[in-house]
Amino acid sequence: MEFKIISKSYNFIKSFVSFVEINRLIRKSSKKTIFFYFPRRELTLKDIKYINNLFNDLKKKYLIIFGHKHFKIRLKNFYFLNEIFIKYLKNTDLFVSNYICDLFPNNTKKIYIHHSLYDTPLTGKKNEKSTIQRLKKYDYIFLSSKKVVKSFKKIFKINDKNIRIISTGYPRLDYLDKLKVRNKKTILIAPANIHAYPEYSMINSINEILKIIRKNTKHKVVFRPHPANREYFLDKSRTSFKENILSEIPFLNDVIIDVSEDYSKTYKNSAFMITDLSSTAFTYSFLTFNPVIFYSQNENIFEKKYKRLNHFKDRKKVGEIASNIEELNKYIKKFVKKTHNYRKSIKLLRNKIDYLGKSKSLITNIMDKIINDKY
């Protein structure tokens, strides 16, 4: 309890110091200000390089300030700042985030750059209404393609004329696409956030999955938990098997738990991925041209709830769907022998992303127009 009080006090003081410094910078500058905020501490480091790169072409013309909640960041114009302070920032002209925020500076235009490549469910059904209301606080929403724009409008019922939903391509993929590493020596297991989608999670079957992999192949296995779950799996104080379902993994040969921030090498060194409903499946396939096995034990329920989503419809174009352990076994055997026959369908689907390789320049151009009231 005492540690939590000290931590909260330290966070407040550090945020207040940052708040004062940010306002000082803004007052001192003759340029218009763009403020980008990372609202999810545990997801910040994985995105920081591509987000920083995204704003490179705007840094000469505008004052770019980044806010975050991660103590390890030591970069120019990056400031530790709790979200509560954002609404008190003065004279910011453009606010941008890639996860949903709830508080904003007054009298500023607001852009949400969607962090997912596809229209993967953002939350469980219980929280969908509140998610819609949170999204509606933004003036602009940037998505990867026109078909995702269409889906977003339909699923989230965003018909408000004050919100512009725009196809801008997917800057994360364009950034990662330049990194070339391909050894194909591992099988990658990458579940979705276990707390967001517990009814669809593969996590309770993880040991069965590992045994099947070990039975069918000599490949090393990389288990990459969702960034929001890393602390959960690394917490050694858990004793219950249900609380720490991966307790056996460190004792299995050739199984690596990957909690690194940069997943590009892990992805490109793998032969194929096994996931449940994680949005990273399409990013993975489009980056590596490797297939994915979607382990979907509640496929009937998933189909009923999400059949309108492109994420649901396009899974067979990048891999296979296994609804039970026997089917998973069959597809692992198949993928171990051969995966290149999926490359054509993956490439065709990848090419439907708008502005492939050009998203950075497009987003830069749109932001420039928005901040100057020309868009």
Side-chain angles (χ1 to χ4, degrees), residues 25 36 88 103 216 223 296 337 343 351:
L25 267 181
F36 184 96
Y88 300 111
L103 300 173
N216 291 305
F223 177 84
S296 182
K337 291 179 181 177
R343 288 181 65 87
N351 287 340

Side-chain angles (χ1 to χ4, degrees), residues 299-359:
E299 181 66 12
N300 292 337
I301 302 172
F302 187 61
E303 180 177 7
K304 185 178 179 181
K305 288 186 177 181
Y306 299 114
K307 63 182 178 182
R308 292 179 295 171
L309 299 179
N310 293 293
H311 174 96
F312 181 85
K313 297 175 187 175
D314 289 344
R315 289 176 300 165
K316 292 279 284 184
K317 296 176 182 177
V318 298
E320 301 289 352
I321 303 161
S323 58
N324 54 57
I325 207 75
E326 290 76 21
E327 289 182 347
L328 182 67
N329 185 46
K330 178 179 73 175
Y331 292 131
I332 288 173
K333 284 182 179 179
K334 179 181 178 181
F335 282 15
V336 166
K337 291 179 181 177
K338 186 167 62 175
T339 60
H340 67 266
N341 52 328
Y342 290 88
R343 288 181 65 87
K344 184 177 180 181
S345 62
I346 291 171
K347 189 173 183 178
L348 287 171
L349 194 62
R350 183 184 192 268
N351 287 340
K352 291 182 180 179
I353 299 173
D354 294 339
Y355 312 107
L356 197 60
K358 300 176 182 177
S359 61

Side-chain angles (χ1 to χ4, degrees), residues 33-230:
T33 301
I34 299 174
F35 183 81
F36 184 96
Y37 191 65
F38 297 92
R40 303 280 299 276
R41 179 188 61 81
E42 71 277 15
L43 304 177
T44 299
L45 294 180
K46 77 177 180 65
D47 293 332
I48 199 166
K49 287 182 180 179
Y50 102 83
I51 290 294
N52 198 14
N53 177 266
L54 184 63
F55 286 90
N56 275 347
D57 295 339
L58 292 168
K59 288 178 180 177
K60 290 182 180 179
K61 192 173 182 179
Y62 302 106
L63 173 63
I64 314 291
I65 297 173
F66 300 90
H68 61 87
K69 294 189 282 190
H70 204 294
F71 288 114
K72 291 183 179 180
I73 297 172
R74 300 286 187 274
L75 295 170
K76 184 179 179 181
N77 285 1
F78 278 75
Y79 294 91
F80 181 94
L81 192 73
N82 282 334
E83 195 168 340
I84 189 68
F85 283 90
I86 292 175
K87 63 182 180 180
Y88 300 111
L89 291 174
K90 304 291 184 182
N91 302 316
T92 55
D93 299 281
L94 190 63
F95 177 92
V96 190
S97 72
N98 66 332
Y99 286 90
I100 304 174
C101 292
D102 297 296
L103 300 173
F104 308 94
N106 291 325
N107 303 314
T108 186
K109 296 165 185 174
K110 303 175 287 292
I111 296 173
Y112 170 65
I113 302 176
H114 191 35
H115 57 274
S116 291
L117 175 56
Y118 254 57
D119 51 3
T120 310
L122 288 177
T123 57
K125 282 289 183 181
K126 290 182 181 178
N127 298 320
E128 196 170 89
K129 287 184 179 179
S130 63
T131 302
I132 291 168
Q133 294 308 311
R134 295 173 72 201
L135 280 171
K136 285 184 176 180
K137 293 178 182 178
Y138 286 83
D139 303 301
Y140 300 87
I141 297 174
F142 291 178
L143 301 173
S144 65
S145 67
K146 293 180 182 68
K147 78 173 188 176
V148 176
V149 168
K150 185 178 179 181
S151 175
F152 233 73
K153 287 181 177 179
K154 187 182 295 183
I155 297 298
F156 290 98
K157 301 178 179 65
I158 299 178
N159 299 312
D160 192 327
K161 293 181 180 179
N162 295 320
I163 303 172
R164 296 188 63 178
I165 304 180
I166 307 164
S167 170
T168 58
Y170 193 60
R172 190 207 303 265
L173 181 65
D174 289 349
Y175 177 78
L176 293 174
D177 214 23
K178 298 172 184 177
L179 306 172
K180 305 297 181 185
V181 181
R182 287 196 176 96
N183 293 324
K184 313 290 187 189
K185 291 182 178 179
T186 64
I187 294 171
L188 177 61
I189 300 176
N193 187 337
I194 60 172
H195 302 307
Y197 314 103
E199 69 272 39
Y200 302 116
S201 179
M202 65 194 287
I203 206 63
N204 291 320
S205 302
I206 194 68
N207 286 313
E208 285 184 278
I209 294 169
L210 288 169
K211 287 173 185 175
I212 289 173
I213 293 172
R214 187 57 53 238
K215 180 181 176 182
N216 291 305
T217 176
K218 293 182 180 179
H219 283 63
K220 288 184 179 293
V221 176
V222 175
F223 177 84
R224 184 173 176 85
H226 188 278
N229 302 146
R230 284 181 294 198

